[in-house]
Amino acid sequence: MTTAAPAIELVGISKAFGSVQANKDISIRVMPGTIHGIIGENGAGKSTLMSILYGFYKADAGEVFIGGKKTAIPDSQAAIDAGIGMVFQHFKLVDNFTVLENVVLGAEEGFMLGTSISKARRVLKSLSEDYGLNVEPDAKIEDIGVGMQQRVEILKALYRQADILILDEPTGTLTPAEADQLFRILDRLKNEGKTIILITHKLREIMDVTDTVSVMRAGEMTATVKTAEVTPAELAELMVGRKVRLTVAKKDISVGEKILEVKDLSVKDINGVERLKGASFDVRAGEILGIAGVAGNGQSELLEALGGYQKATGSVTYKGAAMDLSGLVSNGQDRRSNGIAHVPEDRQSEGLIMEFMAWENAVFGYHLDPEFRKGWLTDNAAMKTDAAGKMERFDVRPPDPLLKAKSFSGGNQQKIVLAREFERSPDLLLIGQPTRGVDIGAIEFIHQSIVELRDQGKAILLVSVELDEILALSDRIAVMFDGRIMGERRPSETDESELGLMMAGMTKDVA
Amino acid sequence: MDLLTLLLILDSTIRLATPLLLACLAGLYSERAGIFDIGLEGKMLAAAFFSGAVAYTTGSAWLGLLAGIGASLVLSAVHGIASITFRGNQLISGVAINFLAAGLTVVIAQSWFKQGGRTPQLVGDARFEPITLPFADAVKDIPVFGVVYNELISGHTSIVYIALLLVPLTWILLYRTRFGLRLRAVGENPASVDTAGISVVRLRYIAVLICGVLCGLAGAYLATALQAGFVKDMSAGRGFIALAALIFAKWRPWQALFACLLFGFLQAMALRPDVLEQYLGFKVNAQLLDALPYILTVVILAGFVGKAIPPKAGGEPYVKER
């Protein structure tokens, strides 16, 4: 088998978007019948490279060889013809079409649809059986879960007789159980002779399923190694370019009094659907309560209600006094002045104003404080000086208060929000998805900052869909599913598989 | 009400619904592909003028029809270039087309015919004549069926029959063919079409040009079939009524037919206040009757008729991520 031509060989691929060099002279060989991982931080150029291979972007320079033959890929049709299928991170499905219609789209036989659909039904049935890709052919996409939607994407590629399957961050929206199922499917595909390229930023996935792994950093391919011959720590170092601590150091401190007590908190959305269904828990001083769960199970509504911009029912007590849950504008202001800081889940739409400069963003919510006022005017000079100091201390790069928020990378945007909220030394911190879309290097810093705040005896409510993050930081873990708290665990008493089951709604705690 | 009066009202319902139906189907193709088009009105108006002018000059209604379609296609292409190629704002492009058509038709008409911004009266072959369907005379004495066939179904111009045939045709095209599947997909999620190896730009241009052809038919019908010549602003908001009908029909062809017939019926009733007075027992204000279709339009557009979910990618230019 060693003499076989590579399934894919890329030689000298370069691609720039404006002044940003997304891919620099990248060469890579992927051997047939293997699972080849491509790992790298956000913005390292992994997705760009694969989009070039799929004909979604045009490379500025470089050549593509498929099965040893030089192949031009000017558009997606050419990639499909060359036997390449791609499952994008954000699925490319038509929501109000059925599974069958989505599979057939673009691969119809003849002008009338009837024969195409019935053929697709037949082929889909046998593909489903062959690879364990269970789908409902006549269900609409909007009515099925993400796990099945992903299987539809895989089936789309197989229906087009793809031999090479590219998956871009496939586990981002899956529960651990669904991810395991996906990896079993990938294994089966590999055994049938398919070649699989798996793009991810999760070290664990690379270690678990790939045969070979290529590491990308800042648009360049830094290494390609056999997975069996490398450790996670070495991979992390290759990704970031320096040594990274993958664990978080925490002091043992004794927890203090109850800071936040939540009882039967419920939230209905604008359509009257109950999103949060009677959540109850408490957070004490000096502890981090981690809320785990797959995105969309009520965590966002929980944070919004506690943050004061979502109407809720039930009762919330903060330092012994009842909180106003009306969701009126004044709520947020009250909470800040009482020492509650909030780092929202979506920094780009809730945490920052992208078109505003860093110094403005670094003061929002606290702009009415006396130190930032000159009579009834704002003291912009004081705000800028303050922002420059915060950016320095939180290692925001570049440390320029006059840059617009949108000019910073995801990690640095997040650091601006953290600097604003942390430097007030709040008694309670509400923090959602602190490291979503943030590089490993910045993750290390953010995790450290959160733990430092806890070590100072502050209460922290952490909401994250990253189970690794929850396990690394939390003193206690509560799992949410379908708007309910499924149960609480201590990190030392549980593991990923138990939490994963609870995230999927299965637990012995709830009758 | 005697059968004949009813038939007369329904007959004019069909005649008045035809331009609405054509414009509504035109909008359906464009909007299903994700290109919102509030320029239906302008395209109809331009088509009405050019069909009237060419029909008068050449003496042929069919040549007039071709000229009308041509004029409408030019405006469609402008809308396509602005909103597909240059990814501009589709509403602004549509508004511009409406203004352009409203102004240019009158100016050109004045300099061409010097009759105060209208074309001369069309006579003879310059107009579409009613077609008598086979056996219409033979069956006219059979009770009910014969009368209905003779009075209501037979005796319309060819464009009316084209419009009616377009409804099932559009349905088949939309739901039973490859083209329809792709058209609907490109209006919902263009990225799905793009990654399936199909050109989003090409599909959308095809949709916009179909829209142009149908608006051309609608405009030509106004000037060379419904009336005998072009007059200023003769589209009279029909493009907007058609849009309301499209929303009412939730972008589906059969429902579009019924919505347009409803609007056509209201317009027909406005022409026969005497009938209404006879049955209601009091006189209905004529202006109110005239305004009814427009009032219904406002009510529909304000969203009082259930939830209408437009094609998801409608109005948004397609840009690949980044």
Side-chain angles (χ1 to χ4, degrees):
Chain A
M1 284 303 280
T2 46
T3 52
I8 296 174
E9 182 169 10
L10 302 179
V11 180
I13 299 282
S14 290
K15 170 79 184 172
F17 293 102
S19 62
V20 181
Q21 190 75 34
N23 284 166
K24 267 178 252 172
D25 190 27
I26 288 184
S27 298
I28 180 177
R29 289 163 152 231
V30 178
M31 300 310 287
T34 63
I35 299 183
H36 192 115
I38 296 185
I39 194 165
E41 297 187 314
N42 289 290
K46 310 177 296 262
S47 296
T48 304
L49 186 66
M50 289 305 119
S51 295
I52 288 170
L53 183 54
Y54 192 65
F56 211 52
Y57 298 141
K58 277 196 190 70
D60 301 333
E63 288 172 347
V64 178
F65 296 85
I66 309 281
K69 226 170 60 206
K70 188 176 169 193
T71 312
I73 303 186
D75 53 32
S76 298
Q77 188 59 53
I80 294 167
D81 292 344
I84 301 174
M86 179 144 176
V87 177
F88 287 85
Q89 186 175 3
H90 303 287
F91 303 145
K92 309 291 183 192
L93 297 170
V94 182
D95 287 345
N96 60 0
F97 277 20
T98 64
V99 168
L100 277 177
E101 286 174 323
N102 268 289
V103 168
V104 159
L105 179 67
E108 308 91 343
E109 340 223 300
F111 188 69
M112 300 305 288
L113 274 184
T115 49
S116 309
I117 295 276
S118 50
K119 183 193 158 193
R121 190 184 298 278
R122 239 178 19 249
V123 174
L124 224 56
K125 190 155 180 285
S126 73
L127 283 175
S128 302
E129 284 161 8
D130 287 353
Y131 299 107
L133 287 157
N134 161 43
V135 294
E136 296 163 34
D138 295 305
K140 285 194 173 169
I141 297 299
E142 58 201 4
D143 298 330
I144 62 179
V146 268
M148 192 182 285
Q149 290 181 0
Q150 189 170 56
R151 294 197 287 277
V152 175
E153 284 282 21
I154 296 173
L155 282 168
K156 256 168 77 179
L158 296 178
Y159 186 73
R160 288 159 174 75
Q161 289 165 347
D163 289 319
I164 301 160
L165 198 60
I166 308 169
L167 293 110
D168 189 359
E169 300 282 2
T171 59
T173 48
L174 301 185
T175 63
E178 283 173 324
D180 284 344
Q181 190 191 2
L182 172 69
F183 292 143
R184 277 198 301 278
I185 292 167
L186 294 186
D187 226 38
R188 224 155 138 180
L189 288 166
K190 178 179 107 171
N191 293 335
E192 299 285 329
K194 308 274 184 197
T195 306
I196 291 158
I197 300 182
L198 176 69
I199 305 174
T200 181
H201 66 275
K202 295 181 184 167
L203 290 166
R204 198 167 45 87
E205 290 174 4
I206 292 288
M207 300 310 294
D208 284 356
V209 297
T210 63
D211 300 303
T212 319
V213 54
S214 296
V215 184
M216 289 189 73
R217 181 170 76 229
E220 292 182 81
M221 193 68 83
T222 52
T224 296
V225 289
K226 289 245 184 312
T227 312
E229 296 166 3
V230 70
T231 65
E234 285 165 356
L235 274 183
E237 192 179 335
L238 284 168
M239 278 166 73
V240 184
R242 61 181 168 80
K243 282 218 184 303
V244 184
R245 281 226 312 272
L246 294 175
T247 52
V248 189
K250 276 165 68 175
K251 278 192 267 181
D252 276 332
I253 64 161
S254 56
V255 293
E257 56 181 316
K258 268 186 202 172
I259 297 289
L260 184 74
E261 200 175 349
V262 175
K263 274 214 179 84
D264 291 328
L265 192 66
S266 298
V267 169
K268 282 186 178 154
D269 68 10
I270 42 168
N271 297 321
V273 181
E274 204 167 34
R275 295 288 172 186
L276 187 61
K277 303 170 181 170
S280 300
F281 57 87
D282 51 52
V283 191
R284 289 169 179 274
E287 79 165 350
I288 299 176
L289 174 68
I291 307 267
V294 179
N297 276 292
Q299 305 99 309
S300 304
E301 288 77 8
L302 173 66
L303 275 181
E304 288 166 8
L306 293 176
Y309 54 105
Q310 167 72 56
K311 187 170 178 282
T313 55
S315 87
V316 178
T317 319
Y318 170 66
K319 291 202 220 166
M323 253 190 198
D324 183 357
L325 296 174
S326 60
L328 296 176
V329 184
S330 58
N331 285 185
Q333 205 47 258
D334 287 350
R335 279 170 213 203
R336 281 177 193 283
S337 53
N338 284 321
I340 302 179
H342 185 185
V343 178
E345 289 184 300
D346 186 343
R347 61 177 162 272
Q348 302 205 341
S349 69
E350 294 177 335
L352 296 165
I353 300 179
M354 303 304 281
E355 291 295 328
F356 279 25
M357 284 181 270
W359 68 269
E360 294 168 305
N361 275 299
V363 78
F364 278 136
Y366 303 105
H367 53 283
L368 296 178
D369 289 7
E371 57 178 300
F372 297 132
R373 287 164 80 167
K374 261 197 262 177
W376 50 272
L377 293 172
T378 54
D379 186 349
N380 291 3
M383 287 182 187
K384 281 177 199 162
T385 317
D386 180 67
K390 280 179 184 159
M391 291 172 84
E392 184 81 43
R393 287 188 292 279
F394 275 79
D395 191 29
V396 179
R397 285 177 237 178
D400 180 358
L402 298 181
L403 275 183
K404 283 184 180 176
K406 66 174 183 187
S407 317
F408 292 91
S409 73
N412 285 303
Q413 288 172 358
Q414 186 73 332
K415 286 189 210 162
I416 295 176
V417 181
L418 292 183
R420 179 179 73 208
E421 304 296 336
F422 282 28
E423 291 239 322
R424 287 288 148 150
S425 190
D427 293 325
L428 171 66
L429 172 70
L430 310 171
I431 185 165
Q433 319 300 349
T435 56
R436 178 185 281 171
V438 169
D439 310 337
I440 288 199
I443 289 176
E444 191 186 10
F445 179 87
I446 291 169
H447 283 175
Q448 216 60 57
S449 310
I450 295 173
V451 169
E452 270 168 33
L453 207 63
R454 161 206 179 256
D455 290 351
Q456 291 165 24
K458 312 294 189 185
I460 294 170
L461 180 72
L462 165 74
V463 171
S464 176
V465 293
E466 300 286 348
L467 207 43
D468 294 342
E469 181 167 78
I470 292 280
L471 280 164
L473 295 177
S474 309
D475 298 301
R476 272 188 303 137
I477 299 169
V479 182
M480 279 191 81
F481 171 75
D482 193 28
R484 292 193 175 85
I485 304 271
M486 300 303 287
E488 276 188 24
R489 296 285 185 276
R490 295 203 171 271
S492 54
E493 296 163 354
T494 186
D495 54 24
E496 293 208 357
S497 59
E498 188 193 15
L499 293 176
L501 282 176
M502 289 166 77
M503 283 161 70
M506 287 168 275
T507 172
K508 42 188 185 283
D509 283 23
V510 175
Chain B
M1 192 186 312
D2 58 300
L3 183 62
L4 201 62
T5 317
L6 178 69
L7 286 180
L8 281 177
I9 291 177
L10 292 181
D11 192 59
S12 72
T13 297
I14 291 180
R15 277 186 292 115
L16 290 165
T18 296
L20 297 178
L21 180 59
L22 285 165
C24 188
L25 292 174
L28 190 146
Y29 281 98
S30 183
E31 302 210 345
R32 276 287 186 156
I35 304 292
F36 282 163
D37 193 351
I38 59 166
L40 298 175
E41 176 82 3
K43 287 200 272 281
M44 261 168 103
L45 193 60
F49 168 70
F50 278 98
S51 62
V54 170
Y56 174 77
T57 315
T58 62
S60 159
W62 287 100
L63 285 178
L65 176 67
L66 281 182
I69 291 176
S72 172
L73 272 175
V74 168
L75 292 181
S76 269
V78 169
H79 189 53
I81 290 167
S83 52
I84 305 170
T85 304
F86 290 107
R87 299 178 191 137
N89 185 311
Q90 297 167 12
L91 294 185
I92 292 177
S93 164
V95 170
I97 284 168
N98 287 338
F99 276 114
L100 199 68
L104 271 186
T105 47
V106 178
V107 171
I108 299 175
Q110 176 57 20
S111 83
W112 190 341
F113 300 105
K114 312 238 169 358
Q115 294 195 359
R118 54 165 64 218
T119 62
Q121 279 279 316
L122 301 180
V123 286
D125 283 346
R127 264 193 93 192
F128 282 99
E129 294 296 333
I131 298 173
T132 307
L133 291 184
F135 316 116
D137 276 333
V139 299
K140 78 172 174 219
D141 294 326
I142 302 173
V144 188
F145 168 78
V147 186
V148 169
Y149 186 79
N150 190 37
E151 288 292 332
L152 186 60
I153 299 178
S154 175
H156 293 288
T157 57
S158 41
I159 298 181
V160 172
Y161 297 112
I162 293 174
L164 291 174
L165 281 177
L166 277 171
V167 176
L169 198 70
T170 300
W171 184 83
I172 291 172
L173 205 56
L174 211 53
Y175 295 107
R176 290 287 181 270
T177 70
R178 175 175 67 193
F179 172 74
L181 186 75
R182 294 176 174 187
L183 188 84
R184 286 183 290 135
V186 83
E188 287 291 329
N189 184 359
S192 71
V193 170
D194 197 6
T195 52
I198 309 160
S199 164
V200 172
V201 168
R202 189 166 156 257
L203 255 180
R204 287 193 160 170
Y205 265 110
I206 293 173
V208 165
L209 293 180
I210 292 176
C211 169
V213 171
L214 296 185
C215 275
L217 273 168
Y221 177 81
L222 289 181
T224 60
L226 194 61
Q227 289 171 37
F230 171 83
V231 292
K232 178 175 182 284
D233 290 336
M234 78 181 303
S235 50
R238 282 188 174 88
F240 296 106
I241 295 180
L243 270 185
L246 184 59
I247 293 169
F248 195 22
K250 302 188 169 124
W251 294 267
R252 292 170 299 182
W254 285 107
Q255 286 82 348
L257 172 64
F258 296 121
C260 291
L261 285 174
L262 172 65
F263 278 111
F265 180 72
L266 290 178
Q267 290 182 338
M269 287 310 292
L271 298 177
R272 294 295 301 269
D274 56 312
V275 177
L276 212 57
E277 191 183 342
Q278 185 187 337
Y279 282 89
L280 291 176
F282 57 87
K283 196 169 158 54
V284 183
N285 183 302
Q287 281 85 357
L288 181 68
L289 275 182
D290 278 335
L292 262 187
Y294 301 96
I295 293 172
L296 183 62
T297 303
V298 171
V299 169
I300 288 173
L301 290 180
F304 287 109
V305 213
K307 199 172 173 190
I309 302 162
K312 210 179 278 169
E316 281 170 26
Y318 176 58
V319 188
K320 289 187 188 191
E321 288 135 282
R322 203 190 254 265

